[in-house]
Amino acid sequence: MKPSIALITGAGRGIGRATALALKQAGYDLLLTARTKRDLDQTAELAGGATILAGDVSSPAHVKRLIVRAASLGKLEVIVNNAGYAPALSIEQMSLAEWDKILAVNLSAMVYVCKFAWPVLVKQKGGVIINISSMASRDPFAGLGPYGAAKAGVNIFSLDLARQGKAHGIRVHTIAPGAVETSMLRKLLSPKELPTNQIMRPEDIAEAIVACVNGALKHTSGEVIYLRK
Ligand code: NAP
């Protein structure tokens, strides 16, 4: 029997790393990506083994390579679109290049992964896609409007994809966390402004992802699951 593969983007730290460890624990072989190879090596070591392919998920060429690699490793059962970029910018501060990057990393990258993986999932008659959105998609902190707008795009794209996937046994879940203790959050808010004990841990999000894959949340395809402490 072919091994069950889980592809996780943004797996070098934070929520992506915790998700990699949780899915390995759940029995999946891992294919991990992010731009920083050193971070991926660390995640792979912590997980007790993983295939890594470093690169930028906002590059369609890199995403194509990822899907080809995933399909060569086994059955691509789980995809977690987790890579993200969340600068807080006023409209005056936001250059058009920044706007393009926010859309590219948070929205287009997820679309590329789904687009290139779709024929693989259809052919194998099923799979689970988990797209990581954000509470900012409905209620952004000051300056997170551009990021929240991109994540709102994730919510809607995922709903439509979940409907298309039904006929093929493909589920598409969207998880939209509030604040989580990661380097992304700490670039925005200090522990003094938002103490660690008031926010979620990356492991909390990983737990919800595993519940979507094969647990209590597996009947939530198409829903946006908002999580906050
Ligand atoms: P993080 O600690 O900053 O980790 C982000 C990961 O994504 C890193 O491994 C990073 O590695 C990778 N990444 C970033 N840009 C990439 C690109 N262009 N191509 C490939 N990989 C890329 O962030 P996090 O807090 O764990 O966030 C994970 C997801 O949760 C994101 O989608 C984020 O929007 C969402 N989220 C986070 C929070 C929060 O409070 N932390 C709340 C709501 C939603 P490299 O930089 O090496 O590429």
Side-chain angles (χ1 to χ4, degrees):
M1 213 168 74
K2 281 185 170 182
S4 302
I5 307 301
L7 164 62
I8 303 155
T9 74
R13 54 179 187 263
I15 293 168
R17 173 174 284 175
T19 301
L21 302 191
L23 286 172
K24 180 73 182 232
Q25 195 72 34
Y28 293 90
D29 284 4
L30 305 175
L31 174 58
L32 310 177
T33 196
R35 290 165 303 178
T36 312
K37 185 176 172 304
R38 196 183 55 244
D39 292 348
L40 292 173
D41 285 334
Q42 273 178 18
T43 302
E45 196 180 324
L46 289 167
T51 302
I52 64 174
L53 193 56
D56 187 334
V57 286
S58 65
S59 152
H62 175 61
V63 173
K64 261 188 195 161
R65 275 194 298 274
L66 268 177
I67 301 303
V68 169
R69 176 68 73 86
S72 77
L73 292 170
K75 185 175 178 206
L76 179 54
E77 289 189 11
V78 178
I79 297 173
V80 184
N81 284 302
N82 166 75
Y85 174 60
L89 299 166
S90 68
I91 188 83
E92 290 90 354
Q93 291 163 333
M94 188 191 72
S95 67
L96 295 188
E98 271 294 319
W99 168 241
D100 286 347
K101 183 173 173 187
I102 290 164
L103 278 180
V105 179
N106 294 296
L107 180 57
S108 297
M110 178 276 295
V111 173
Y112 301 154
V113 172
C114 293
K115 168 81 184 152
F116 297 138
W118 199 256
V120 176
L121 303 187
V122 168
K123 194 168 170 208
Q124 68 191 23
K125 297 188 169 54
V128 185
I129 298 172
I130 316 282
N131 291 329
I132 305 304
S133 177
S134 169
M135 195 67 78
S137 67
R138 70 172 187 195
D139 184 12
F141 290 145
L144 284 188
Y147 164 78
K151 292 294 196 181
V154 171
N155 299 354
I156 295 300
F157 186 87
S158 305
L159 171 59
D160 180 54
L161 210 56
R163 289 174 175 156
Q164 294 180 56
K166 230 174 169 179
H168 304 288
I170 301 168
R171 291 186 275 121
V172 184
H173 304 261
T174 306
I175 295 186
V180 185
E181 185 59 73
T182 69
S183 61
M184 175 184 281
L185 180 84
R186 289 306 171 203
K187 279 185 196 149
L188 300 169
L189 293 166
S190 70
K192 213 169 166 192
E193 292 166 304
L194 193 56
T196 299
N197 63 8
Q198 290 179 16
I199 62 179
M200 293 178 290
R201 302 163 308 139
E203 292 76 13
D204 296 324
I205 313 307
E207 207 174 287
I209 290 169
V210 174
C212 286
V213 170
N214 62 19
L217 295 176
K218 73 178 173 193
H219 301 299
T220 60
S221 182
E223 299 295 330
V224 181
I225 301 163
Y226 292 95
L227 298 174
R228 65 149 50 107
K229 189 157 177 179

